[in-house]
Amino acid sequence: MTNISVYQFNKVPFLKDLILEVENQGERIVLQATGPWADVMAPYLKNYIDWLSSRGCLARYNGGNVYSLYLPPIPSRAHARMVEGFVQTFFLKKPTPQAVTIGVTNTCQCKCVHCSIPGPSPIYPPLSPEEIQRVVEESLALGVNNITFTGGEPLLNPDLERFISAVPPELAVVQVFSNGLMLDDRRASSLKAAGTYAVQISLDSPDPEEHDRLRVKEGAFQSVRQAMANALKAGLLVGLSTYATNRSIEDGSLKRIVGLAKEWGVHEMSIFDVIPTGRLLLKEEMMLTTESRRSLRKLEMICNKPSNGFPRLSTQNWTNSGRGFAKSFGCLAGNYQFHISACGDLMPCDFTPISFGNVRNHSLADLWEKLTSHPAYCRHQNNCRMQSPDFRNKYINPIPPNTPLPVLIEAFDDGRDDQSSSY
């Protein structure tokens, strides 16, 4: 079965008469460009489409091919918005966000040793349902095509399905990151009915006792296993999310998690780098070594061969490598995405404890402009800023102990003593 969509670029003046016909033929995508600039734009877009097609289709969703849970299905109107956003960013030099992560609560049943959540704001209460709705609407107006609800544990927010159903599927896909503890059959079906595209469930260790210890929650591992099954049964796209450490790469634990992802039938596995943030903010010695990165890249290449039968591995290690198509991504913070904390602070990403202001005081458009015009974020950067010595020396290491997070960016730029977020 094939599906054909017409992509147009009404927000890009010189491309307003360019028409792309995008069609999925089995697992491959083909396109045909007509109109002004077709000869110029078609090669760029064809390279992108061919690269996706070579990675293999993970699933079908509403007639489109899914190549990653972080991308809208192709073809689709949401994906057309994504392509238009890239054109605006790279050709018009007008930064356009593709994704937003929104914290809908700081509450969680776990007390993870590696938790990156800054904690409750000393100034602002959690966003109300109406304020979260406004954040969703303003994010869509900026151009995002992927909205991810996070926490804390987002399933603890009783209005989560309300937020999900407010996202028009022709504009964006919706993901939910969860620890799996509350993802029973009923909640999985409820998320699906609300319009959820995918759930990402976190797993820290292939050993049940170790996962429970890291989460400080007995039974957490078994809940992950059951949540995966419940989500798949409900017809959701399912991802397994974990992080790589030097130890987990060296002792084979990470490889065993990949094996579990295959056994449990997930569609995609996300492997983030261990990042010194949150409760690990000052643990810079934990960052991956060159040898660990080399081993992780080898694991990714082996597992992503379609003939090997593993779920797709999407790694931060590749995204920040500067190799091939990774050059188009690099550090996603303030480039591809932004984060809104549960108390309304706009942060470059949920790993960066720096606020560019609060949505209660400013529009998202103004805060995004402030972020993308700042010297630390106005240029493309391949490697993760939170793992960059230069960035950390200027923006992270000067944070005094016990300072409430996130810290307002002006504290560093102006050299002020007041580092609380009140903008």
Side-chain angles (χ1 to χ4, degrees), residues 342-369:
C343 295
D345 284 295
L346 183 141
M347 299 152 63
C349 74
D350 52 353
F351 295 138
T352 307
I354 297 174
S355 171
F356 279 77
N358 197 282
V359 297
R360 287 189 169 99
N361 303 327
H362 303 274
S363 71
L364 267 186
D366 286 344
L367 293 177
W368 174 252
E369 171 65 24

PDB file of all heavy atoms in Angstrom, residues 342-369:
ATOM      1  N   ALA A 342       8.520  21.815  34.591  1.00  0.00           N
ATOM      2  CA  ALA A 342       7.177  21.720  35.181  1.00  0.00           C
ATOM      3  C   ALA A 342       6.754  23.026  35.835  1.00  0.00           C
ATOM      4  O   ALA A 342       5.560  23.253  36.053  1.00  0.00           O
ATOM      5  CB  ALA A 342       7.139  20.581  36.199  1.00  0.00           C
ATOM      6  N   CYS A 343       7.725  23.891  36.144  1.00  0.00           N
ATOM      7  CA  CYS A 343       7.412  25.189  36.745  1.00  0.00           C
ATOM      8  C   CYS A 343       7.484  26.333  35.729  1.00  0.00           C
ATOM      9  O   CYS A 343       7.362  27.504  36.100  1.00  0.00           O
ATOM     10  CB  CYS A 343       8.352  25.462  37.920  1.00  0.00           C
ATOM     11  SG  CYS A 343       8.137  24.297  39.296  1.00  0.00           S
ATOM     12  N   GLY A 344       7.703  25.997  34.456  1.00  0.00           N
ATOM     13  CA  GLY A 344       7.592  27.003  33.403  1.00  0.00           C
ATOM     14  C   GLY A 344       8.866  27.621  32.898  1.00  0.00           C
ATOM     15  O   GLY A 344       8.823  28.536  32.064  1.00  0.00           O
ATOM     16  N   ASP A 345      10.030  27.154  33.363  1.00  0.00           N
ATOM     17  CA  ASP A 345      11.289  27.705  32.849  1.00  0.00           C
ATOM     18  C   ASP A 345      11.616  27.136  31.474  1.00  0.00           C
ATOM     19  O   ASP A 345      11.507  25.920  31.260  1.00  0.00           O
ATOM     20  CB  ASP A 345      12.443  27.384  33.804  1.00  0.00           C
ATOM     21  CG  ASP A 345      12.433  28.261  35.035  1.00  0.00           C
ATOM     22  OD1 ASP A 345      12.618  29.478  34.876  1.00  0.00           O
ATOM     23  OD2 ASP A 345      12.225  27.736  36.151  1.00  0.00           O
ATOM     24  N   LEU A 346      12.021  28.013  30.549  1.00  0.00           N
ATOM     25  CA  LEU A 346      12.506  27.551  29.254  1.00  0.00           C
ATOM     26  C   LEU A 346      13.998  27.275  29.382  1.00  0.00           C
ATOM     27  O   LEU A 346      14.779  28.170  29.704  1.00  0.00           O
ATOM     28  CB  LEU A 346      12.248  28.564  28.148  1.00  0.00           C
ATOM     29  CG  LEU A 346      12.672  28.073  26.749  1.00  0.00           C
ATOM     30  CD1 LEU A 346      11.679  28.504  25.685  1.00  0.00           C
ATOM     31  CD2 LEU A 346      14.074  28.547  26.371  1.00  0.00           C
ATOM     32  N   MET A 347      14.374  26.017  29.121  1.00  0.00           N
ATOM     33  CA  MET A 347      15.762  25.574  29.202  1.00  0.00           C
ATOM     34  C   MET A 347      16.178  25.027  27.848  1.00  0.00           C
ATOM     35  O   MET A 347      15.330  24.528  27.084  1.00  0.00           O
ATOM     36  CB  MET A 347      15.892  24.505  30.288  1.00  0.00           C
ATOM     37  CG  MET A 347      15.495  25.003  31.682  1.00  0.00           C
ATOM     38  SD  MET A 347      14.868  23.707  32.786  1.00  0.00           S
ATOM     39  CE  MET A 347      16.327  22.655  32.922  1.00  0.00           C
ATOM     40  N   PRO A 348      17.465  25.103  27.487  1.00  0.00           N
ATOM     41  CA  PRO A 348      17.902  24.583  26.183  1.00  0.00           C
ATOM     42  C   PRO A 348      17.555  23.117  25.985  1.00  0.00           C
ATOM     43  O   PRO A 348      17.185  22.694  24.895  1.00  0.00           O
ATOM     44  CB  PRO A 348      19.416  24.803  26.210  1.00  0.00           C
ATOM     45  CG  PRO A 348      19.609  25.934  27.158  1.00  0.00           C
ATOM     46  CD  PRO A 348      18.565  25.749  28.225  1.00  0.00           C
ATOM     47  N   CYS A 349      17.679  22.311  27.042  1.00  0.00           N
ATOM     48  CA  CYS A 349      17.237  20.918  27.031  1.00  0.00           C
ATOM     49  C   CYS A 349      17.027  20.522  28.485  1.00  0.00           C
ATOM     50  O   CYS A 349      17.370  21.274  29.403  1.00  0.00           O
ATOM     51  CB  CYS A 349      18.254  19.999  26.345  1.00  0.00           C
ATOM     52  SG  CYS A 349      19.754  19.676  27.319  1.00  0.00           S
ATOM     53  N   ASP A 350      16.472  19.341  28.723  1.00  0.00           N
ATOM     54  CA  ASP A 350      16.181  18.963  30.100  1.00  0.00           C
ATOM     55  C   ASP A 350      17.423  18.528  30.863  1.00  0.00           C
ATOM     56  O   ASP A 350      17.338  18.238  32.068  1.00  0.00           O
ATOM     57  CB  ASP A 350      15.103  17.875  30.162  1.00  0.00           C
ATOM     58  CG  ASP A 350      15.406  16.686  29.281  1.00  0.00           C
ATOM     59  OD1 ASP A 350      16.379  16.726  28.516  1.00  0.00           O
ATOM     60  OD2 ASP A 350      14.646  15.695  29.343  1.00  0.00           O
ATOM     61  N   PHE A 351      18.599  18.483  30.207  1.00  0.00           N
ATOM     62  CA  PHE A 351      19.850  18.190  30.886  1.00  0.00           C
ATOM     63  C   PHE A 351      20.609  19.454  31.286  1.00  0.00           C
ATOM     64  O   PHE A 351      21.612  19.379  31.995  1.00  0.00           O
ATOM     65  CB  PHE A 351      20.765  17.342  29.997  1.00  0.00           C
ATOM     66  CG  PHE A 351      20.233  15.970  29.689  1.00  0.00           C
ATOM     67  CD1 PHE A 351      20.350  15.435  28.416  1.00  0.00           C
ATOM     68  CD2 PHE A 351      19.626  15.206  30.673  1.00  0.00           C
ATOM     69  CE1 PHE A 351      19.863  14.161  28.128  1.00  0.00           C
ATOM     70  CE2 PHE A 351      19.134  13.934  30.394  1.00  0.00           C
ATOM     71  CZ  PHE A 351      19.257  13.408  29.124  1.00  0.00           C
ATOM     72  N   THR A 352      20.183  20.614  30.789  1.00  0.00           N
ATOM     73  CA  THR A 352      20.909  21.863  31.002  1.00  0.00           C
ATOM     74  C   THR A 352      20.203  22.711  32.047  1.00  0.00           C
ATOM     75  O   THR A 352      19.124  23.238  31.784  1.00  0.00           O
ATOM     76  CB  THR A 352      21.021  22.660  29.682  1.00  0.00           C
ATOM     77  OG1 THR A 352      21.563  21.821  28.662  1.00  0.00           O
ATOM     78  CG2 THR A 352      21.914  23.875  29.860  1.00  0.00           C
ATOM     79  N   PRO A 353      20.789  22.880  33.233  1.00  0.00           N
ATOM     80  CA  PRO A 353      20.100  23.580  34.335  1.00  0.00           C
ATOM     81  C   PRO A 353      20.198  25.097  34.247  1.00  0.00           C
ATOM     82  O   PRO A 353      20.550  25.787  35.207  1.00  0.00           O
ATOM     83  CB  PRO A 353      20.828  23.038  35.571  1.00  0.00           C
ATOM     84  CG  PRO A 353      22.226  22.821  35.102  1.00  0.00           C
ATOM     85  CD  PRO A 353      22.100  22.348  33.664  1.00  0.00           C
ATOM     86  N   ILE A 354      19.900  25.621  33.060  1.00  0.00           N
ATOM     87  CA  ILE A 354      19.971  27.062  32.818  1.00  0.00           C
ATOM     88  C   ILE A 354      18.631  27.519  32.252  1.00  0.00           C
ATOM     89  O   ILE A 354      18.111  26.912  31.310  1.00  0.00           O
ATOM     90  CB  ILE A 354      21.104  27.412  31.840  1.00  0.00           C
ATOM     91  CG1 ILE A 354      22.462  27.019  32.429  1.00  0.00           C
ATOM     92  CG2 ILE A 354      21.084  28.903  31.494  1.00  0.00           C
ATOM     93  CD1 ILE A 354      23.614  27.190  31.467  1.00  0.00           C
ATOM     94  N   SER A 355      18.079  28.573  32.826  1.00  0.00           N
ATOM     95  CA  SER A 355      16.793  29.108  32.372  1.00  0.00           C
ATOM     96  C   SER A 355      16.995  30.384  31.566  1.00  0.00           C
ATOM     97  O   SER A 355      17.792  31.250  31.937  1.00  0.00           O
ATOM     98  CB  SER A 355      15.893  29.399  33.576  1.00  0.00           C
ATOM     99  OG  SER A 355      14.726  30.106  33.175  1.00  0.00           O
ATOM    100  N   PHE A 356      16.230  30.496  30.474  1.00  0.00           N
ATOM    101  CA  PHE A 356      16.224  31.721  29.681  1.00  0.00           C
ATOM    102  C   PHE A 356      14.974  32.545  29.958  1.00  0.00           C
ATOM    103  O   PHE A 356      14.676  33.498  29.246  1.00  0.00           O
ATOM    104  CB  PHE A 356      16.340  31.388  28.199  1.00  0.00           C
ATOM    105  CG  PHE A 356      17.757  31.115  27.779  1.00  0.00           C
ATOM    106  CD1 PHE A 356      18.357  29.900  28.073  1.00  0.00           C
ATOM    107  CD2 PHE A 356      18.509  32.073  27.132  1.00  0.00           C
ATOM    108  CE1 PHE A 356      19.676  29.644  27.719  1.00  0.00           C
ATOM    109  CE2 PHE A 356      19.830  31.837  26.774  1.00  0.00           C
ATOM    110  CZ  PHE A 356      20.413  30.617  27.068  1.00  0.00           C
ATOM    111  N   GLY A 357      14.256  32.186  31.018  1.00  0.00           N
ATOM    112  CA  GLY A 357      13.063  32.919  31.397  1.00  0.00           C
ATOM    113  C   GLY A 357      11.900  31.978  31.607  1.00  0.00           C
ATOM    114  O   GLY A 357      11.985  30.784  31.337  1.00  0.00           O
ATOM    115  N   ASN A 358      10.803  32.524  32.088  1.00  0.00           N
ATOM    116  CA  ASN A 358       9.638  31.724  32.434  1.00  0.00           C
ATOM    117  C   ASN A 358       8.453  32.067  31.553  1.00  0.00           C
ATOM    118  O   ASN A 358       8.219  33.243  31.233  1.00  0.00           O
ATOM    119  CB  ASN A 358       9.285  31.930  33.908  1.00  0.00           C
ATOM    120  CG  ASN A 358       8.362  30.849  34.435  1.00  0.00           C
ATOM    121  OD1 ASN A 358       7.161  30.869  34.191  1.00  0.00           O
ATOM    122  ND2 ASN A 358       8.943  29.896  35.167  1.00  0.00           N
ATOM    123  N   VAL A 359       7.711  31.035  31.160  1.00  0.00           N
ATOM    124  CA  VAL A 359       6.589  31.228  30.238  1.00  0.00           C
ATOM    125  C   VAL A 359       5.452  32.015  30.873  1.00  0.00           C
ATOM    126  O   VAL A 359       4.548  32.476  30.163  1.00  0.00           O
ATOM    127  CB  VAL A 359       6.065  29.872  29.717  1.00  0.00           C
ATOM    128  CG1 VAL A 359       7.126  29.152  28.916  1.00  0.00           C
ATOM    129  CG2 VAL A 359       5.570  28.991  30.870  1.00  0.00           C
ATOM    130  N   ARG A 360       5.478  32.183  32.189  1.00  0.00           N
ATOM    131  CA  ARG A 360       4.447  32.995  32.831  1.00  0.00           C
ATOM    132  C   ARG A 360       4.676  34.487  32.563  1.00  0.00           C
ATOM    133  O   ARG A 360       3.743  35.289  32.674  1.00  0.00           O
ATOM    134  CB  ARG A 360       4.433  32.742  34.340  1.00  0.00           C
ATOM    135  CG  ARG A 360       3.847  31.379  34.732  1.00  0.00           C
ATOM    136  CD  ARG A 360       3.681  31.314  36.244  1.00  0.00           C
ATOM    137  NE  ARG A 360       2.898  30.145  36.631  1.00  0.00           N
ATOM    138  CZ  ARG A 360       3.423  29.003  37.062  1.00  0.00           C
ATOM    139  NH1 ARG A 360       4.740  28.876  37.137  1.00  0.00           N
ATOM    140  NH2 ARG A 360       2.647  28.003  37.418  1.00  0.00           N
ATOM    141  N   ASN A 361       5.902  34.830  32.243  1.00  0.00           N
ATOM    142  CA  ASN A 361       6.253  36.244  32.065  1.00  0.00           C
ATOM    143  C   ASN A 361       6.480  36.634  30.613  1.00  0.00           C
ATOM    144  O   ASN A 361       6.475  37.825  30.296  1.00  0.00           O
ATOM    145  CB  ASN A 361       7.521  36.570  32.862  1.00  0.00           C
ATOM    146  CG  ASN A 361       7.376  36.253  34.339  1.00  0.00           C
ATOM    147  OD1 ASN A 361       6.288  36.374  34.890  1.00  0.00           O
ATOM    148  ND2 ASN A 361       8.463  35.855  34.977  1.00  0.00           N
ATOM    149  N   HIS A 362       6.716  35.661  29.749  1.00  0.00           N
ATOM    150  CA  HIS A 362       7.074  35.955  28.368  1.00  0.00           C
ATOM    151  C   HIS A 362       6.462  34.921  27.438  1.00  0.00           C
ATOM    152  O   HIS A 362       6.196  33.781  27.832  1.00  0.00           O
ATOM    153  CB  HIS A 362       8.605  35.965  28.194  1.00  0.00           C
ATOM    154  CG  HIS A 362       9.304  36.933  29.091  1.00  0.00           C
ATOM    155  ND1 HIS A 362       9.485  38.253  28.761  1.00  0.00           N
ATOM    156  CD2 HIS A 362       9.867  36.769  30.310  1.00  0.00           C
ATOM    157  CE1 HIS A 362      10.129  38.875  29.744  1.00  0.00           C
ATOM    158  NE2 HIS A 362      10.370  37.985  30.695  1.00  0.00           N
ATOM    159  N   SER A 363       6.291  35.304  26.202  1.00  0.00           N
ATOM    160  CA  SER A 363       5.826  34.354  25.195  1.00  0.00           C
ATOM    161  C   SER A 363       6.940  33.382  24.853  1.00  0.00           C
ATOM    162  O   SER A 363       8.128  33.702  25.003  1.00  0.00           O
ATOM    163  CB  SER A 363       5.368  35.089  23.928  1.00  0.00           C
ATOM    164  OG  SER A 363       6.493  35.635  23.241  1.00  0.00           O
ATOM    165  N   LEU A 364       6.571  32.198  24.381  1.00  0.00           N
ATOM    166  CA  LEU A 364       7.578  31.236  23.943  1.00  0.00           C
ATOM    167  C   LEU A 364       8.396  31.794  22.783  1.00  0.00           C
ATOM    168  O   LEU A 364       9.593  31.534  22.689  1.00  0.00           O
ATOM    169  CB  LEU A 364       6.910  29.925  23.521  1.00  0.00           C
ATOM    170  CG  LEU A 364       6.781  28.832  24.581  1.00  0.00           C
ATOM    171  CD1 LEU A 364       6.239  27.557  23.959  1.00  0.00           C
ATOM    172  CD2 LEU A 364       8.113  28.556  25.238  1.00  0.00           C
ATOM    173  N   ALA A 365       7.742  32.535  21.906  1.00  0.00           N
ATOM    174  CA  ALA A 365       8.460  33.100  20.757  1.00  0.00           C
ATOM    175  C   ALA A 365       9.579  34.019  21.233  1.00  0.00           C
ATOM    176  O   ALA A 365      10.702  33.979  20.707  1.00  0.00           O
ATOM    177  CB  ALA A 365       7.495  33.865  19.854  1.00  0.00           C
ATOM    178  N   ASP A 366       9.315  34.844  22.245  1.00  0.00           N
ATOM    179  CA  ASP A 366      10.341  35.748  22.756  1.00  0.00           C
ATOM    180  C   ASP A 366      11.463  34.974  23.444  1.00  0.00           C
ATOM    181  O   ASP A 366      12.653  35.302  23.293  1.00  0.00           O
ATOM    182  CB  ASP A 366       9.726  36.743  23.735  1.00  0.00           C
ATOM    183  CG  ASP A 366       8.889  37.811  23.038  1.00  0.00           C
ATOM    184  OD1 ASP A 366       9.024  37.958  21.809  1.00  0.00           O
ATOM    185  OD2 ASP A 366       8.093  38.487  23.726  1.00  0.00           O
ATOM    186  N   LEU A 367      11.109  33.941  24.201  1.00  0.00           N
ATOM    187  CA  LEU A 367      12.124  33.159  24.904  1.00  0.00           C
ATOM    188  C   LEU A 367      12.974  32.347  23.927  1.00  0.00           C
ATOM    189  O   LEU A 367      14.186  32.208  24.118  1.00  0.00           O
ATOM    190  CB  LEU A 367      11.460  32.238  25.932  1.00  0.00           C
ATOM    191  CG  LEU A 367      10.778  32.950  27.110  1.00  0.00           C
ATOM    192  CD1 LEU A 367      10.087  31.936  28.016  1.00  0.00           C
ATOM    193  CD2 LEU A 367      11.786  33.780  27.901  1.00  0.00           C
ATOM    194  N   TRP A 368      12.356  31.819  22.877  1.00  0.00           N
ATOM    195  CA  TRP A 368      13.109  31.084  21.853  1.00  0.00           C
ATOM    196  C   TRP A 368      14.078  32.022  21.136  1.00  0.00           C
ATOM    197  O   TRP A 368      15.232  31.661  20.878  1.00  0.00           O
ATOM    198  CB  TRP A 368      12.147  30.432  20.864  1.00  0.00           C
ATOM    199  CG  TRP A 368      12.808  29.776  19.686  1.00  0.00           C
ATOM    200  CD1 TRP A 368      12.815  30.207  18.394  1.00  0.00           C
ATOM    201  CD2 TRP A 368      13.575  28.557  19.699  1.00  0.00           C
ATOM    202  NE1 TRP A 368      13.524  29.350  17.594  1.00  0.00           N
ATOM    203  CE2 TRP A 368      14.004  28.329  18.361  1.00  0.00           C
ATOM    204  CE3 TRP A 368      13.936  27.659  20.675  1.00  0.00           C
ATOM    205  CZ2 TRP A 368      14.782  27.225  17.996  1.00  0.00           C
ATOM    206  CZ3 TRP A 368      14.711  26.549  20.317  1.00  0.00           C
ATOM    207  CH2 TRP A 368      15.124  26.344  18.999  1.00  0.00           C
ATOM    208  N   GLU A 369      13.637  33.223  20.838  1.00  0.00           N
ATOM    209  CA  GLU A 369      14.515  34.209  20.212  1.00  0.00           C
ATOM    210  C   GLU A 369      15.674  34.555  21.132  1.00  0.00           C
ATOM    211  O   GLU A 369      16.839  34.667  20.689  1.00  0.00           O
ATOM    212  CB  GLU A 369      13.711  35.472  19.878  1.00  0.00           C
ATOM    213  CG  GLU A 369      14.543  36.665  19.427  1.00  0.00           C
ATOM    214  CD  GLU A 369      15.271  36.441  18.118  1.00  0.00           C
ATOM    215  OE1 GLU A 369      14.832  35.595  17.320  1.00  0.00           O
ATOM    216  OE2 GLU A 369      16.300  37.120  17.893  1.00  0.00           O
TER     217      GLU A 369
END
